[in-house]
């Protein structure tokens, strides 16, 4: 008897069909390494830049297209149940009594940037989570804006900073709120309001336009909204307005200087020339934004964590890793990175966005997202309510974890993670889709011939190196799928339906998979993580340690000390009469273990200098704490007795490396920087 005679004919037929299917797919699948997308093409299904604007290399999908899962969804739920979701009942600036945003004349005791700062994150979290309560609350404010536009086209709080000099800054973030609402609802009133408003803006004389400090710095945000509307209406006057706004915005095109050194302005405004480059086509505009990014980092950013030491304003001589950045600055840098990624297609911007998000932004909050601090630094060994000026450029309790932190960060923090989630996937000009910021979740997107597909991503990235994507489609459809290969990754492996694909997975590029995809297809990407030492020669030869995209910090035992929120609040913080500060406590965080260590290491042999310890995934799905981190690194070091708390109550400036002392060698534990609320992330090196 033949060894195969017992097999049913139907089974043989199935086997043959399966093999033919695999062979057909292998013939259709084309894999290539590309530095960028071809932006001479136009996506057929998602709004792209209209001529004469240059087309983006990647296109942000409408709100609601992406549904996060895993730790990223958990963060949004923590925000919903925490400060973001409850600020409307706490913050005086969101009070519905005497609020300028609720009156057509724009008059009221409360109402400036705080409402739109909060709403741009709060509403989008509601849309993304499909939370009816949040959506209803957001619509209350949006309806007020839509109904209260004045006859001349102006809207919002009627604030003048000098005779006839209307302050336009506060309307800029509100325009972003309206844009998200339009993408969610398709409410035509948004288009009508913006058109009328921008016609009014065009009528403002140049000597009255963008004259106040904040609005003059931040004109780029206004241009983003102008282009958003132009791409939907094609009204030519909008291009004239964009030129007028660019002309009257602060000069972000200086070679060796910035118009001001305020950390939020820099993070938010450095991209203004690149935004206008879409219209000017002048590569010098694009280069100016890159120059701004590098200039601030060369002078004040010789530190890990993706940011730069500015406190509130960068000052000469204050460039140690103990100098901090505002939480607002973190949000704005991540947002700028996402925009620059779309404009340029340069993976650098995705790298920087991850660096800030994973290593700095998450540490600006208590783990439950019910309190935050104004300033967070790479080296920070106490987080308290004391005045640390002039060690930091702020006088007051600016290191305190307090729900009633400075009124800007208290509200603006809401957009950080939800904007991140919105940009995890981006459409491409060739009717494809790109995985940009790897995170668990799904995206529903039209691709190829217009077929709507769902790509479901499962991953524990950035704590694990495996990314798995499953395709759901009603029929076979041909489209390109782009996978970003991080700059830190060597030897990435791409598989389709379990078969390794032969392609150069060059770090800092994209793998483009063009294929006729079918329902159930599976794509996997392994991003092997290695130890990497970053040396900061300009900052006393200090070092920081990375494993994949995560920077590691000394594990310091953190002692949370409960404080009265009113007593420890920053001076301009206010809350509603009915708000109970006892329900929203503040905390000082003090170290319960030594922090003044230098690392002992062999730069040529990192694997023998450090030991990677992998642990179970946290049951609460919150990996950004010292106690729940699924990965730690064991290291060796020595205490440095002369490195102490200085006269300002801050960690003293770094001693210069390498050091030699006779202290005993000590075992150290390093944890992800983003989970360490107290941290030493830039280390001295000890022989």
């Amino acid at each position: 008897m033949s060894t195969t005679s017992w097999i049913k004919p139907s089974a043989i037929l199935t086997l043959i069909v399966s093999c033919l299917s695999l062979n057909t797919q292998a013939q259709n699948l084309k894999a290539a390494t590309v530095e960028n997308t071809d932006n001479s093409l136009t996506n057929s299904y998602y709004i792209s830049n209209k001529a004469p604007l240059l087309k983006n290399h990647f296109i942000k999908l409408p709100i609601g297209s992406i549904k996060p899962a895993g730790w990223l969804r958990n963060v949004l739920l923590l925000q919903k149940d925490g400060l973001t979701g409850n600020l409307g009942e706490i913050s005086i600036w969101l009070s519905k009594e005497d609020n300028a945003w609720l009156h057509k004349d724009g008059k009221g005791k409360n109402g400036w940037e705080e409402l739109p700062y909060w709403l741009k994150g709060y509403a989008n979290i509601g849309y993304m989570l499909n939370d009816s309560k949040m959506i209803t609350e957001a619509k209350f404010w949006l309806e007020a804006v839509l109904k209260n536009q004045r006859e001349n086209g102006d809207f919002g709080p009627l604030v003048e900073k000098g005779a006839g000099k209307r302050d336009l800054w506060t309307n800029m973030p509100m325009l972003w709120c309206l844009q998200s609402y339009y993408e969610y609802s398709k409410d035509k009133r948004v288009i009508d309001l913006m058109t009328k408003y921008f016609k009014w803006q065009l009528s403002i004389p140049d000597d009255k336009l963008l004259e106040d400090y904040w609005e003059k710095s931040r004109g780029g945000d206004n241009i983003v909204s102008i282009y958003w509307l132009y791409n939907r209406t094609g009204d030519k006057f909008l291009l004239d307005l964009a030129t007028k706004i660019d002309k009257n915005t602060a000069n972000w095109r200086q070679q060796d200087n910035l118009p001001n050194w305020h950390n939020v302005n820099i993070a938010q405004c450095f991209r203004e020339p690149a935004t206008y480059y879409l219209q000017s086509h002048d590569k010098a505009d694009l280069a100016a934004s890159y120059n701004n990014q590098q200039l601030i980092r060369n002078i004040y950013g010789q530190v890990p964590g993706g940011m730069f030491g500015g406190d509130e304003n960068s000052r000469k001589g204050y460039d140690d890793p103990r100098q901090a950045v505002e939480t607002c600055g973190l949000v704005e840098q991540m947002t700028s990175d996402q925009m620059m990624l779309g404009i340029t297609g340069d993976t650098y911007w995705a790298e920087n966005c991850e660096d800030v998000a994973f290593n700095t932004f998450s540490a600006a909050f208590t783990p439950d997202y019910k309190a935050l601090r104004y300033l967070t630094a790479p080296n920070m060994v106490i987080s308290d309510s004391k005045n640390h000026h002039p060690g930091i450029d702020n006088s007051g309790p600016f290191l305190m974890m307090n729900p009633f932190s400075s009124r800007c960060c208290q509200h603006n923090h809401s957009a950080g993670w939800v904007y991140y989630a919105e940009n995890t996937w981006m459409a491409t000009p060739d009717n494809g889709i790109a995985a940009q910021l790897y995170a668990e979740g799904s995206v529903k997107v039209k691709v190829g011939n217009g077929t709507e597909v769902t790509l479901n991503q499962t991953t524990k990235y950035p704590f694990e190196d495996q990314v798995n994507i499953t395709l759901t489609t009603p029929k076979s459809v041909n489209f390109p799928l782009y996978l970003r290969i991080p700059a830190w990754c060597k030897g990435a492996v791409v598989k389709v339906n379990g078969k390794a694909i032969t392609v150069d997975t060059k770090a800092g590029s994209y793998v483009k998979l063009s294929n006729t995809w079918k329902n159930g297809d599976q794509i996997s990407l392994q991003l092997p993580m290695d130890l990497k030492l970053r040396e900061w020669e300009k900052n006393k030869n200090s070092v920081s340690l990375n494993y994949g995209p995560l920077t590691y910090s000394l594990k310091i035992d953190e002692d949370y000390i409960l404080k009265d929120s009113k007593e420890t609040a920053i001076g301009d913080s206010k809350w509603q009469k009915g708000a109970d500060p006892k329900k929203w406590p503040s905390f000082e965080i003090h170290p319960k273990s030594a922090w003044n260590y230098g690392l002992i290491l062999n730069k040529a042999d990192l694997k023998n200098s450090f030991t990677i310890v992998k642990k179970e995934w946290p049951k609460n799905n919150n990996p950004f704490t010292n106690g729940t981190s699924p990965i730690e690194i064991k290291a060796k070091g020595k205490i440095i007795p002369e490195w102490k708390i200085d006269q300002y109550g801050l960690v003293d400036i770094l001693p210069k490396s390498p050091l030699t002392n006779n202290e005993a060698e000590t075992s150290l534990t390093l944890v992800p920087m983003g989970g360490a609320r107290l941290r030493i992330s830039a280390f001295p090196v000890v022989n």
Side-chain angles (χ1 to χ4, degrees), residues 248-511:
N248 286 280
T249 297
N251 183 9
W252 293 96
R253 293 171 172 83
Q254 303 174 57
Q255 183 62 37
D256 299 310
N257 190 31
L258 297 174
N260 61 75
W261 296 89
H262 180 76
N263 80 98
V264 182
N265 283 345
I266 296 168
Q268 182 172 358
C269 307
F270 81 89
R271 59 177 153 77
E272 190 275 337
T275 303
Y276 188 65
Y277 158 73
L278 295 170
Q279 183 174 345
S280 73
H281 301 195
D282 185 347
K283 291 185 178 179
D285 286 342
L286 181 61
S289 288
Y290 274 88
N291 181 64
N292 293 335
Q293 173 84 355
Q294 297 307 319
L295 177 65
I296 188 68
R297 280 158 180 78
N298 285 337
I299 303 173
Y300 298 106
Q302 298 299 303
V303 295
M307 292 301 296
F308 50 89
D311 306 324
E312 186 157 333
N313 296 282
S314 295
R315 300 168 292 163
K316 288 188 176 181
Y318 290 82
D319 54 8
D320 189 80
R322 73 178 187 175
Q323 309 306 145
V325 69
E326 286 184 46
T327 302
C328 278
L330 302 172
V331 172
E332 299 300 343
Q333 181 68 50
M334 291 161 60
T335 303
S336 292
D337 288 337
Q338 293 150 18
M339 290 184 174
M340 290 292 290
L341 177 60
I343 292 170
T344 69
D346 185 348
T347 61
Y348 166 83
W349 300 107
E351 306 287 343
N352 191 243
C353 186
E354 285 191 346
D355 198 357
V356 176
F358 297 157
N359 299 314
T360 305
F361 184 62
S362 53
F365 307 89
T366 52
D368 59 6
Y369 283 82
K370 291 184 177 179
L372 74 158
R373 61 187 166 207
Y374 186 73
L375 296 174
T376 299
N379 283 3
M380 189 174 194
V381 299
I382 191 163
S383 183
D384 62 12
S385 59
K386 292 182 179 179
N387 180 2
H388 297 279
H389 183 78
I392 59 173
D393 184 42
N394 299 86
S395 296
F398 285 88
L399 303 187
M400 186 71 181
M401 285 287 191
N402 195 320
F404 306 98
S405 183
S406 184
R407 54 196 269 197
C408 55
C409 299
Q410 181 189 23
H411 298 83
N412 195 26
H413 81 272
S414 64
W417 281 125
V418 71
Y419 279 13
Y420 186 93
E422 289 175 33
N423 288 277
T424 50
W425 293 90
M426 301 177 93
T428 58
D430 51 4
N431 294 337
I433 184 72
Q436 295 283 21
L437 306 169
Y438 296 109
E440 193 152 3
S442 63
V443 60
K444 188 175 288 188
V445 61
K446 289 183 179 180
V447 292
N449 58 10
T451 302
E452 187 173 74
V453 304
T454 299
L455 294 131
N456 187 64
Q457 184 176 166
T458 56
T459 182
K460 295 292 192 297
Y461 185 89
F463 297 92
E464 295 181 7
D465 65 4
Q466 191 69 31
V467 178
N468 297 308
I469 300 169
T470 302
L471 176 70
T472 301
T473 177
K475 60 182 180 181
S476 295
V477 55
N478 188 285
F479 68 91
L481 170 64
Y482 293 79
L483 305 173
R484 181 177 65 87
I485 308 300
W488 49 261
C489 182
K490 296 179 181 178
V493 177
V494 179
K495 294 182 180 180
V496 175
N497 294 326
K499 182 180 179 181
I501 304 302
T502 302
V503 64
D504 179 15
T505 54
K506 179 183 175 183
S509 68
Y510 293 92
V511 169

Side-chain angles (χ1 to χ4, degrees), residues 35-333:
E35 299 293 330
N36 214 327
T37 59
D38 179 1
N39 70 335
S40 67
L41 305 173
T42 301
N43 189 287
S44 303
Y45 316 110
Y46 298 101
I47 292 175
S48 304
N49 290 342
K50 287 182 180 291
L53 300 182
L54 295 172
K55 293 196 171 58
N56 278 0
H57 286 275
F58 294 103
I59 304 152
K60 184 178 180 296
L61 293 167
I63 186 73
S65 303
I66 295 169
K67 300 294 182 185
W71 68 260
L72 185 52
R73 175 179 170 82
N74 184 60
V75 167
L76 298 184
L77 291 172
L78 287 171
Q79 285 191 262
K80 170 195 163 186
D81 295 333
L83 191 58
T84 296
N86 291 279
L87 262 178
E89 302 169 11
I90 298 169
S91 166
I92 191 65
W93 313 108
L94 307 186
S95 171
K96 294 171 182 175
E97 295 181 11
D98 200 17
N99 194 304
W101 284 103
L102 298 179
H103 300 291
K104 193 162 189 172
D105 63 6
K107 301 293 181 61
K109 184 178 180 182
N110 304 311
W112 192 49
E113 67 180 6
E114 295 80 17
L115 175 72
Y117 258 173
W118 164 76
L119 190 60
K120 68 189 176 98
Y122 176 88
N124 286 25
I125 292 173
Y127 305 145
M128 187 164 278
L129 296 178
N130 196 27
D131 187 284
S132 59
K133 180 181 177 182
M134 297 181 80
I135 293 170
T136 299
E137 178 66 12
K139 193 171 182 183
F140 168 84
W141 294 103
L142 292 163
E143 283 289 337
V145 173
L146 291 167
K147 291 177 180 177
N148 289 329
Q149 186 172 28
R150 295 182 275 280
E151 292 303 316
N152 66 353
D154 192 11
F155 73 93
L158 189 57
V159 178
E160 287 191 347
K161 299 292 181 70
K165 296 178 180 178
R166 170 76 168 89
D167 176 18
L168 302 181
W169 154 240
T170 187
N171 284 4
M172 295 182 200
M174 184 57 82
L175 289 170
W176 289 19
C177 299
L178 291 168
Q179 290 155 211
S180 291
Y181 173 63
Y182 178 82
E183 292 178 8
Y184 172 76
S185 68
K186 296 296 186 287
D187 189 330
K188 185 178 178 295
R189 292 177 300 165
V190 171
I191 303 297
D192 295 340
L193 177 144
M194 291 179 67
T195 300
K196 190 174 180 181
Y197 175 64
F198 286 142
K199 285 181 178 178
W200 171 75
Q201 275 194 348
L202 190 61
S203 73
I204 301 173
D206 281 10
D207 62 354
K208 303 289 186 183
L209 180 65
L210 302 183
E211 289 295 300
D212 185 57
Y213 174 75
W214 299 114
E215 61 175 354
K216 192 166 192 66
S217 293
R218 300 173 180 182
D221 281 19
N222 204 111
I223 296 175
V224 168
S225 295
I226 293 169
Y227 290 162
W228 182 93
L229 184 62
Y230 175 73
N231 290 331
R232 284 156 179 81
T233 68
D235 289 338
K236 299 298 184 183
F237 84 88
L238 293 167
L239 299 179
D240 295 333
L241 177 59
T243 298
K244 182 183 180 78
I245 295 293
D246 173 69
K247 175 185 174 183
N248 286 280
T249 297
N251 183 9
W252 293 96
R253 293 171 172 83
Q254 303 174 57
Q255 183 62 37
D256 299 310
N257 190 31
L258 297 174
N260 61 75
W261 296 89
H262 180 76
N263 80 98
V264 182
N265 283 345
I266 296 168
Q268 182 172 358
C269 307
F270 81 89
R271 59 177 153 77
E272 190 275 337
T275 303
Y276 188 65
Y277 158 73
L278 295 170
Q279 183 174 345
S280 73
H281 301 195
D282 185 347
K283 291 185 178 179
D285 286 342
L286 181 61
S289 288
Y290 274 88
N291 181 64
N292 293 335
Q293 173 84 355
Q294 297 307 319
L295 177 65
I296 188 68
R297 280 158 180 78
N298 285 337
I299 303 173
Y300 298 106
Q302 298 299 303
V303 295
M307 292 301 296
F308 50 89
D311 306 324
E312 186 157 333
N313 296 282
S314 295
R315 300 168 292 163
K316 288 188 176 181
Y318 290 82
D319 54 8
D320 189 80
R322 73 178 187 175
Q323 309 306 145
V325 69
E326 286 184 46
T327 302
C328 278
L330 302 172
V331 172
E332 299 300 343
Q333 181 68 50

Side-chain angles (χ1 to χ4, degrees), residues 28-34 494 496 501-504 511-515:
N28 287 331
L29 178 63
K30 295 180 180 178
T33 305
V34 296
V494 179
V496 175
I501 304 302
T502 302
V503 64
D504 179 15
V511 169
K512 178 183 179 182
L513 300 174
S514 300
N515 193 24

Side-chain angles (χ1 to χ4, degrees), residues 7-16:
I7 301 178
K8 294 181 180 180
S10 60
I12 295 174
L13 180 61
T14 300
L15 181 62
I16 293 171

Side-chain angles (χ1 to χ4, degrees), residues 524-638:
S524 69
L525 175 65
Q526 185 182 17
L527 301 169
M529 297 181 182
D530 289 316
L531 293 167
K532 180 181 179 180
L533 199 70
R534 301 177 73 185
E535 300 183 57
W536 307 99
E537 293 181 8
K538 292 183 181 179
N539 228 321
K540 309 292 178 58
N541 297 322
S542 57
V543 299
S544 58
L545 184 69
N546 271 53
Y547 184 65
L550 298 178
T551 302
Y552 277 73
S553 177
L554 178 70
K555 186 175 184 178
I556 302 171
D557 292 339
E558 298 172 350
D559 185 17
Y560 281 70
I561 301 172
L562 181 66
K563 293 289 182 178
D564 186 301
S565 293
K566 283 190 175 182
E567 291 181 1
T568 58
I570 294 171
D572 63 358
S573 302
K574 297 180 181 179
W575 40 87
Q576 296 176 29
K577 290 180 181 178
D580 183 1
K582 291 181 180 178
K583 292 182 179 179
W584 297 93
S586 62
F587 294 92
E588 290 189 342
I589 311 175
H590 291 255
K592 290 200 299 182
S593 59
W595 55 265
N596 49 337
Y597 289 101
L599 291 180
I600 299 172
L601 55 90
N602 182 345
K603 294 179 182 179
D605 189 8
L606 294 181
K607 288 185 178 180
N608 283 324
S609 298
F610 304 100
T611 302
I612 298 163
V613 179
K614 296 185 178 181
K615 302 161 66 178
E616 289 186 6
W617 186 257
K619 293 180 180 179
N620 66 357
N621 222 5
N622 185 2
F624 285 106
T625 77
N626 286 351
T628 60
S629 171
I631 186 165
E632 295 180 344
I633 295 176
K634 300 299 180 183
K636 298 289 186 182
K638 288 184 177 183

